[in-house]
Amino acid sequence: MFTTKQKINFYETKIDLRKVIAEQNVKDSDDTVYVCDLSKLKEKYELWHKHLPRVKPYYAVKCNDDPHVLKRLADYGANFDCASKREIEQIMNIGVEPNRILFAHTCKMVSHIKYARQRGVMTSTVDTECELYKLQQHFPESNAVIRIRCDAKDAYLCLGAKYGCDAETEAPALMLLAKKLNLKVTGISFHVGSHCKEFAAFDRAISKAKRLFKYGAELGFDMHVLDIGGGFSGTEYEFKALAEVINKSLLLHFGDDNVNIIAEPGRFFVSEAYTLISKVLSKREPPVVNGDKPTKHYYLNDGIYGSFVHVVIAPGSSEVKHFVDDDNLPKPKFNTILWGPTCDSLDKIAENLMLPDMQCDDIVIFTNMGAYTLPVACNFNGLMSRKIIYYEKAVNKRESVYS
C-alpha cells in the first residue's frame, strides 16, 4: 500500500534513471519500479490555469489515486471528481471539504448515495430516471447535474455508449421529472471521450448545454454548473490548442453568465509524472519461415493485468525504449513483440515495435505511465509486484503551494 509517508528524493535538474536502476537493484529484483516526478503535478496545474483560467479542475480520482498525487493536487487548490463511497472517503480524509467534491458517477449504489449525504457531498451527476428516483428517496436535498451525450469523432475511448442521455429528448424529460419530484437541477455535464482528438466536440457539447441551461431556467431551476468533463491530453501543444477551442466556445455561449465552469481532468495531470522501469524475463526467437521478417519476442515482468491495462483503451499513449549502458550508440533494430508475464496469451503489451536486440535482465523503460495504471492493476497469476520511488525538484522544497 502506497502512503504519503514514503520518502521523497530531491533532484536539481533531472532524475538520473541509471542511478535509480542501480540503487533499486532492478536487474536482481522481480519488481517493476515506478519513478514518480511530483514536480510534474505543479507544472500541469500551472499550465491548466494559464490556458483554462475560467475552468476549475475536479481531478478524476479513478485515474490515479496515489496519496501523494491527491494531497499535492488538493494543496494546489484542485477539486475532485469521485465515483464512489471509497473515493469520497479517501479525499475527505486528506482534509478536502465536501463542497470541493463532485459525485460524478451516474449509476450509484444506494449505500454510496447515503454516504455522500452523510458527508455533505451535495452535487452529483445523473442521466436516467432511475437515478432521479434514487435521489428523491435517499438524498432529496442534493443538487443534480444532468449528464448529456456528445461523443468526439476521434478519442481513445468513447464513453457515450454507456453514459450520458440524449440532449434533445431525454435531458428535457429528466428535467421535467426532477421538477415533478421536487428535486434541484443545478447544471449540465458531458464527457466527449477519453483523450479527445476532435476538439470541435467540446464546442458542440457546450452549445447543447447552453440550450438546456435556458430550458432549466424556464422550469425555475437555478442553473449554475457547467461540467465539461475530461478528455484532455497531457501534452502542452495539444492542450493549448484544445483550450483555445473551449475558451472561444465558453465566451460565445456562456460569456455573460454567472456560471461555475468545471472539468474532470485525470490523464492531463498524472500521465507524464510516472515512468515505469521493467526488465526482460525471457526471450524467444521463432525461426523465419517463407521469407517473413524476423520477430523477437520478449517477456517482461509486468503486463496488461498489471501496469499495462491502459494499452487496451489507449494504444500508443506510452513510449518504450531499451535502456542499456551504451544506449547512445547506434544499434540494428528488429521487429519486436512485448509480452506480459502471465499465462494468458491476451497478455500482450505491444507488437510491431522496432527495438534493438535484448537479453534477459535488460531494462525496458516506459514513459507516460501515470494514467489508469496503478489503480487498475491486479496480481493475476501472482506474478506482478511493483513499487514507487518519488522525486521532486529541490527548488520545490522551498516554494509555497500554488494558490
Side-chain angles (χ1 to χ4, degrees), residues 305 341-344 347 378-384:
Y305 291 98
T342 71
C343 298
D344 190 350
D347 190 4
C378 69
N379 197 23
F380 178 55
N381 274 169
L383 289 172
M384 287 164 283

Side-chain angles (χ1 to χ4, degrees), residues 14-24 26 33-36 274-277 321 323 327 363-367 389 391:
K14 183 180 179 181
I15 299 173
D16 186 345
L17 290 181
R18 297 185 192 280
K19 184 177 179 181
V20 175
I21 291 168
E23 290 180 345
Q24 298 301 319
V26 175
V33 175
Y34 277 93
V35 176
C36 173
Y274 287 72
T275 297
L276 181 68
I277 302 173
K321 76 169 186 174
F323 197 87
D327 71 348
I363 303 299
V364 185
I365 302 291
F366 297 86
T367 60
I389 311 301
Y391 285 85

Side-chain angles (χ1 to χ4, degrees), residues 167-202:
E168 307 299 327
T169 57
E170 294 176 293
L174 289 177
M175 297 170 87
L176 281 171
L177 176 60
K179 185 73 173 179
K180 180 180 178 181
L181 298 176
N182 292 317
L183 294 172
K184 291 180 291 184
V185 174
T186 58
I188 301 296
S189 77
F190 59 82
H191 197 307
V192 298
S194 178
H195 200 154
C196 172
K197 297 287 188 177
E198 191 226 348
F199 300 163
F202 279 89

Side-chain angles (χ1 to χ4, degrees), residues 18 54 60 83 86 161 172 188 192 194 212 240 258 310 314 344 346-347 359 363:
R18 297 185 192 280
R54 192 180 171 190
R86 181 187 175 277
I188 301 296
V192 298
S194 178
L212 289 169
K240 181 180 178 180
N258 185 23
H310 72 288
D344 190 350
L346 295 177
D347 190 4
Q359 307 302 324
I363 303 299

Side-chain angles (χ1 to χ4, degrees), residues 260-276:
N260 183 24
I261 312 293
I262 68 174
E264 304 169 13
R267 184 186 308 277
F268 171 84
F269 281 113
V270 296
S271 180
E272 293 181 5
Y274 287 72
T275 297
L276 181 68

